[in-house]
Amino acid sequence: AGGGVFQPSDVAEYMPVSETVIPGTVLVIGDDGKLQVTSTAYDTRVAGIVSTAPGISLGAKENGNDGEQIIAVSGRVPCKVDATRAPIHAGDLLTTSDMPGYAMKAIDPKIGTVLGKAMGSLETGIGTIEVLVTLQ
């Protein structure tokens, strides 16, 4: 089963986001260049996962990062996943789901739709697992 306590080990970057989002949420690049919550399966605009507590963060500004959030672009990070279509096992490629903000198992994905690889498993339903972010 998915879940548990994760140690941060991701590289994250502050990026503009069009709405307030919680850690583990999968984001895509919106038409205005700001990141937004994914809501389409196999979206080639996939950009990353909202980080929990990154090991390394890039782009921090002295007076804060108004309108920006810290997005995991590499490494391991907890991610909201949807196993309603197919079970997710460690090593599976993940892509965006049509469940807003979630990733799902990528079955025969097109180039540009892969978010990363599952580091954990979730047999059914929705949950949170650790993901190795490897945008492809």
Side-chain angles (χ1 to χ4, degrees), residues 36-87:
Q36 62 190 42
V37 174
T38 182
S39 59
T40 306
Y42 294 93
D43 197 330
T44 56
R45 302 173 306 155
V46 64
I49 303 165
V50 180
S51 184
T52 307
I56 299 170
S57 56
L58 309 172
K61 299 179 179 117
E62 260 182 57
N63 54 356
N65 289 64
D66 224 22
E68 294 187 340
Q69 292 208 231
I70 193 91
I71 311 303
V73 292
S74 178
R76 291 177 293 144
V77 66
C79 180
K80 300 191 305 187
V81 291
D82 170 10
T84 56
R85 287 188 190 180

Side-chain angles (χ1 to χ4, degrees), residues 15-21 25-40 43 45-50 69 71 96 100-102:
M15 296 185 198
V17 179
S18 62
E19 59 204 289
T20 303
V21 288
T25 302
V26 179
L27 301 178
V28 295
I29 301 166
D31 293 337
D32 59 0
K34 289 184 177 180
L35 302 188
Q36 62 190 42
V37 174
T38 182
S39 59
T40 306
D43 197 330
R45 302 173 306 155
V46 64
I49 303 165
V50 180
Q69 292 208 231
I71 311 303
T96 58
Y102 282 75

Side-chain angles (χ1 to χ4, degrees), residues 6-7 9 76-79 117-120 128-132:
F6 304 105
Q7 293 300 315
S9 52
R76 291 177 293 144
V77 66
C79 180
K117 290 186 179 182
M119 300 287 290
T128 300
I129 63 169
E130 195 169 61
V131 169
L132 177 62

